Amino acid sequence: MPLVAHTDLPTFQRLHEEGEEILTPERASHQCIRELHIGLLNIMPDAAMEATERQFFRLVGACNQIAQFHVHPFTIDGLERNSAARVHIQRYYESFEQIKRDGLDALIISGANVTHDHLQDEAFWQPLTEVFEWAKRNVTSILCSCLATHALIQSCYGVERTRLPEKRWGVFSHKVVDRQHPLIAEINTRFDVPHSRFNEVFRADMEKHGLRVLVVSDEAGVHLAVSPDGFRIVFFQGHPEYDDISLLKEYKREVLRYYNDERDDYPPFPDHYFDAGVQKLLADYAGRVILAKAKGRPLEPMPEAQIVPHLDITWRDSAKAVFNNWLGKVYQITNEDRRLPFMDGIDPENPLGL
Ligand SMILES: CC(C)(COP(=O)(O)OP(=O)(O)OC[C@H]1O[C@@H](n2cnc3c(N)ncnc32)[C@H](O)[C@@H]1OP(=O)(O)O)[C@@H](O)C(=O)NCCC(=O)NCCSC(=O)CCC(=O)O
Ligand SMILES: N[C@@H](CCO)C(=O)O
């Protein structure tokens, strides 16, 4: 929440010049104080659906303990769902119709699993673009994770993502490249983010279309960029919402796929994630899995309980800091009526006045 310059202490002016949000007493006394409404479009597969809810709810809830947040989960057609997932959605999720009727201040769109080479061939493409089109007109800011980033960049700028020679998978170090932008002001300038994807939109392609790139990894490419207006669409290519165990769960799934002949090679380790002790444990386990597969024996469970205490989470604080900046800025410009994206006087082409 922003400082109020309630005296003429020079520090307020100095901080303002350095990019800190400072409200004048006049603006502060007229500010409408209310809760924020944030949609979560959850398009993750069934096994990860509730973990994804927890991850994004946690980032929103933990990033700021003063304001009140209502998070509204919803989903779209075109995703294969088992009966338990359908019951969960029916019981707890809102419909897109309801979301449109009541309005949102901000919208988060999760990643997803894809089955086709081109996103426009996925069964969920059409419903997803309908949400994009509505949100671009009616929501103050949209934050996209991974696949949603690729889909929205394709739908807005016509840039198709590129298939990578091998999966970008692990925990990577990143640097802030535009230290002035309010989304990443006052946060660590070097921090980790997990990535888990076969595809990438490259920095040059983003910049060619006017996107502003804010956070980059030498090894893993762009993590964070924003739309040319500076704020209305926030693109994450990584997964800062992931839990400490998320990449372990994905690794375990890949081992299972190897054992079940759904992939030919034994899965590599995610980069920079397992320490030396865990790598040794998993290399021994791999030997036993390969033998069991060759001899047609049952698969021994992965020793997860021994591994988990050695997994570090090195990305959550920065993730919370970015969410805090994002929601703080949304609050400063969103309309009192949550069905309208901006207060009077805010320029939709440059909502932060950058
Ligand atoms: C990897 C799996 C299959 C693991 O799920 P499983 O149910 O098999 O796990 P399990 O070992 O049986 O353990 C179940 C327990 O773990 C929790 N759990 C499951 N998945 C979790 C996760 N990812 N992070 C944290 N916790 C997780 C469950 O809630 C449950 O907890 P409780 O028992 O306590 O409830 C799943 O997480 C999954 O499908 N993840 C999605 C990965 C993915 O598709 N990402 C796409 C994003 S990438 C992208 O967007 C685009 C990529 C591209 O195209 O380039
Ligand atoms: N943007 C509004 C708060 C949300 O209604 C204000 O600053 O007054």
Side-chain angles (χ1 to χ4, degrees), residues 44-52 54-55 110-114 119 145-148 150 161 163-164 167 195-200 237 239 241-254 256 304:
M44 281 295 244
D46 294 346
M49 193 167 72
E50 288 187 60
T52 301
R54 291 194 295 274
Q55 290 162 0
S110 76
N113 239 347
V114 291
L119 291 175
S145 171
C146 196
L147 178 117
H150 295 169
R161 62 203 193 142
R163 176 89 186 181
L164 297 168
K167 186 170 181 173
H195 288 257
S196 177
R197 55 189 157 79
F198 290 103
N199 298 277
E200 180 153 335
Q237 240 181 156
H239 286 283
E241 78 283 6
Y242 266 17
D243 293 307
D244 49 1
I245 59 167
S246 301
L247 291 174
L248 175 65
K249 293 283 176 199
E250 294 180 8
Y251 177 75
K252 190 179 83 168
R253 175 191 58 193
E254 293 308 307
L256 192 66
E304 285 182 79

Side-chain angles (χ1 to χ4, degrees), residues 41-311:
L41 174 56
N42 192 350
I43 51 177
M44 281 295 244
D46 294 346
M49 193 167 72
E50 288 187 60
T52 301
E53 286 170 20
R54 291 194 295 274
Q55 290 162 0
F56 284 110
F57 274 61
R58 183 191 294 122
L59 274 185
V60 169
C63 82
N64 188 305
Q65 301 287 309
I66 303 171
Q68 295 175 8
F69 300 114
H70 292 221
V71 185
H72 303 267
F74 67 108
T75 191
I76 46 175
D77 291 336
L79 296 152
E80 238 179 74
R81 293 287 184 207
N82 64 28
S83 61
R86 281 202 297 271
V87 167
H88 181 81
I89 289 165
Q90 183 67 29
R91 168 88 175 79
Y92 299 110
Y93 280 32
E94 294 175 28
S95 66
F96 182 40
E97 290 311 311
Q98 199 178 341
I99 296 277
K100 283 194 284 194
R101 197 181 57 232
D102 297 340
L104 292 174
D105 298 303
L107 171 64
I108 298 165
I109 309 181
S110 76
N113 239 347
V114 291
T115 46
H116 293 78
D117 287 342
H118 299 283
L119 291 175
Q120 64 272 27
D121 298 332
E122 298 291 334
F124 63 76
W125 175 256
Q126 182 59 29
L128 184 60
T129 53
E130 279 169 31
V131 176
F132 290 162
E133 289 311 316
W134 172 78
K136 279 193 285 181
R137 287 193 307 275
N138 295 285
V139 178
T140 311
S141 184
I142 311 168
L143 185 147
C144 303
S145 171
C146 196
L147 178 117
T149 282
H150 295 169
L152 202 40
I153 287 181
Q154 179 175 335
S155 119
C156 290
Y157 312 106
V159 179
E160 269 210 64
R161 62 203 193 142
T162 304
R163 176 89 186 181
L164 297 168
E166 55 198 35
K167 186 170 181 173
R168 183 91 73 221
W169 197 34
V171 179
F172 300 93
S173 181
H174 294 66
K175 275 190 81 107
V176 167
V177 293
D178 177 353
R179 296 188 182 190
Q180 305 307 318
H181 193 282
L183 253 191
I184 34 134
E186 316 263 342
I187 76 167
N188 290 354
T189 54
R190 184 161 45 79
F191 58 88
D192 287 341
V193 184
H195 288 257
S196 177
R197 55 189 157 79
F198 290 103
N199 298 277
E200 180 153 335
V201 177
F202 297 108
R203 180 175 182 169
D205 286 330
M206 292 186 183
E207 290 181 335
K208 201 159 65 191
H209 290 84
L211 276 74
R212 303 191 200 177
V213 171
L214 306 182
V215 177
V216 173
S217 160
D218 284 345
E219 253 185 292
V222 174
H223 162 52
L224 176 53
V226 288
S227 47
D229 56 70
F231 191 62
R232 298 190 66 178
I233 315 177
V234 176
F235 298 105
F236 283 180
Q237 240 181 156
H239 286 283
E241 78 283 6
Y242 266 17
D243 293 307
D244 49 1
I245 59 167
S246 301
L247 291 174
L248 175 65
K249 293 283 176 199
E250 294 180 8
Y251 177 75
K252 190 179 83 168
R253 175 191 58 193
E254 293 308 307
V255 172
L256 192 66
R257 289 184 63 231
Y258 165 80
Y259 177 80
N260 289 331
D261 284 331
E262 291 166 24
R263 65 179 286 162
D264 297 333
D265 60 325
Y266 199 86
F269 293 143
D271 292 327
H272 321 300
Y273 178 57
F274 296 135
D275 68 18
V278 170
Q279 289 189 31
K280 166 83 176 67
L281 198 113
L282 284 170
D284 293 345
Y285 175 70
R288 299 198 295 278
V289 174
I290 291 165
L291 193 65
K293 178 173 152 130
K295 304 257 183 212
R297 291 189 198 139
L299 178 69
E300 172 192 327
M302 182 177 282
E304 285 182 79
Q306 271 172 271
I307 296 170
V308 171
H310 296 275
L311 300 176

